[in-house]
Amino acid sequence: MIFGYQVDKDIKLKILEEREAEPLFKLVDNNRNYLAEFLPFVEHTKRVEDSKYFIHSALQQFIDGNGFHCGIWSNKELIGVIGLHYLDLVNKTTSIGYYLAEDFQKKGIMTKCTKALIRYVYEEYDIHRIEIRMSTKNKKSRDIPVRLGFTQEGILRNNERLQGEFSDSYVYSLLREEYDD
């Protein structure tokens, strides 16, 4: 899956490569105001080199066996990113993060991609728990774990800075025994 996984006839997940820094930067830059509302990295992504650095770090993370980040491609256009923030094989846990271009919202794409990644994680790794966190103000992101059967565990208070203000985050989890493909 890491190197290429067809989610449906139009959507494919593929691990990000350094040569894709320009399309990644373009994705972030073209959706800057939309993404910055809930993603703190956006304000620090000012040049193609910043996206290249992210991809380089993500590839190192993959090499180290500590997670990975895939581009979400729609008919050869990079429209989003999904990945594992970390992969803790000692505690058998991981955390999923994702974002999608504004024009591709409300089409079920991210739900399908998240479901595919969950399936991959449970099939390929001995993981017991998957977590997803998001700002309490991010209803669209919250809808995804709810649709996929995750349980809301609580709220982390003021755990993230978004546009200069502290924000609370929901914590959702899915345990292996709750997973229903």
Side-chain angles (χ1 to χ4, degrees):
M1 191 269 248
I2 302 302
F3 297 105
Y5 183 85
Q6 201 69 40
V7 175
D8 65 20
K9 68 181 182 65
D10 298 320
I11 305 297
K12 181 179 182 173
L13 302 181
K14 187 181 82 54
I15 197 160
L16 289 167
E17 301 174 45
E18 286 188 17
R19 64 187 170 97
E20 295 160 340
E22 195 165 319
L24 179 60
F25 177 75
K26 187 176 174 183
L27 166 67
V28 172
D29 202 42
N30 289 345
N31 292 273
R32 186 167 296 283
N33 292 335
Y34 177 74
L35 295 175
E37 185 176 2
F38 299 116
L39 298 170
F41 76 86
V42 173
E43 71 179 281
H44 304 289
T45 305
K46 298 175 181 168
R47 307 167 303 151
V48 172
E49 289 75 25
D50 298 326
S51 294
K52 191 174 195 172
Y53 176 77
F54 167 76
I55 293 171
H56 177 76
S57 297
L59 288 170
Q60 188 61 52
Q61 180 186 19
F62 173 62
I63 290 165
D64 293 343
N66 189 29
F68 55 84
H69 296 275
C70 294
I72 301 171
W73 299 85
S74 175
N75 301 314
K76 299 186 180 183
E77 178 185 357
L78 182 61
I79 62 167
V81 173
I82 189 168
L84 303 180
H85 293 124
Y86 62 86
L87 192 55
D88 180 347
L89 297 177
V90 172
N91 293 301
K92 301 179 184 291
T93 64
T94 191
S95 172
I96 294 175
Y98 46 74
Y99 63 91
L100 193 63
E102 187 173 16
D103 290 345
F104 290 87
Q105 297 288 321
K106 297 184 179 182
K107 298 178 182 190
I109 293 169
M110 193 54 75
T111 300
K112 288 180 195 176
C113 291
T114 304
K115 186 175 183 174
L117 186 56
I118 291 166
R119 182 181 322 111
Y120 178 78
V121 166
Y122 281 140
E123 289 175 0
E124 297 298 319
Y125 299 100
D126 187 23
I127 292 296
H128 177 70
R129 171 191 165 86
I130 298 174
E131 188 175 283
I132 298 177
R133 297 179 182 190
M134 78 289 302
S135 169
T136 55
K137 298 173 186 172
N138 192 343
K139 182 180 176 345
K140 289 179 191 174
S141 186
R142 182 180 187 204
D143 288 346
I144 293 165
V146 169
R147 269 188 225 111
L148 295 174
F150 280 63
T151 298
Q152 181 184 328
E153 294 186 337
I155 296 174
L156 300 174
R157 299 179 311 140
N158 287 334
N159 74 307
E160 188 171 47
R161 279 189 68 223
L162 300 173
Q163 298 180 322
E165 301 289 325
F166 285 101
S167 175
D168 297 343
S169 292
Y170 289 117
V171 178
Y172 280 86
S173 69
L174 183 69
L175 303 179
R176 180 181 283 278
E177 61 264 18
E178 298 166 340
Y179 171 64
D180 182 25
D181 188 26

